[in-house]
Amino acid sequence: MKTAIVSDSNCGISKREADNMGLFILPMPVCIENSFYYEGIGLDQKSFFSHLANHEKIHTSQPSPGDLLTMWKNVLDHGYDELVYIPMSSGLSGSFDTACQMAKEFPGKVYVADVRRISVTQRHAIEDAFYLLKHGSDAASIKEELEKNALNSIIFVGVDDLDYLKRGGRITPAAAAMASVLSIKPLLVIGGDKIDAYEKVRGRKNCEKKLLEAIRERTSRFKSQGYGVRIGIAGSFLEETDLSDWYGRAKEAFPDDELLYDPLTCSVSSHVGPNAFGMGVSVKITL
């Protein structure tokens, strides 16, 4: 029995890395000023961040059922007996429900796992899936283990420009204007089914400090319970120097942990805007 691991581009893994891993990625559609693109195909994250910074009209959506069916069929037609599909969280998009309906066309072959994650923690779930695959698990077992571990993860994201939250209706124009005057930076938390405000902090550096404290607290909690962890760094940086600065601060806070950086995906970046910064931590699955 040969099992494939499939996900969508919300995981933040580049095509090159996915090819090296043996991962199949379905690109997410993005509409910019009425022109359609696919994330990772003709539209990389850096270009997307530039479109955001120019305040262009942007809309992200889930993959079409046709694109989903075509990818799964191609995978199964090229030597795989079954696959595990790991889409972004069911609470953040209708992608999961659509995939479940489409999976009925492939009984016993396509297993859709609701890992209830996005971005770096979705990556962590994919890494867990490959770990389970390496240790002999089949698609049904991988789906079961991923879903049992789904909520053992969290992401914090600091927002630099509140205009994007205002446009998305997450804060009022008046609140955005007041926060801008006072240099208030919201710290958001993504856990499970939704994006919520975690704390409001004065100034970017203080927001970064609060984010690192929150990740450190959650990491310590997981480790004290005997779990191994995966830690990811993310951002929607326009400049490499800003990325390097954020990575340096994170590495200083977690000198003994392996830290991987992925650009924030289009789905997240469209809500938080350019120059946002984030980190996520997840419990590792072990057998």
Side-chain angles (χ1 to χ4, degrees), residues 236-252:
S236 55
F237 301 109
L238 296 171
E239 303 294 338
E240 289 294 325
T241 52
D242 292 327
L243 189 165
S244 296
D245 287 346
W246 175 230
Y247 186 90
R249 293 200 71 184
K251 192 61 185 175
E252 184 179 345

Side-chain angles (χ1 to χ4, degrees), residues 166 171-179:
K166 180 184 71 175
I171 61 173
T172 65
M178 181 62 70

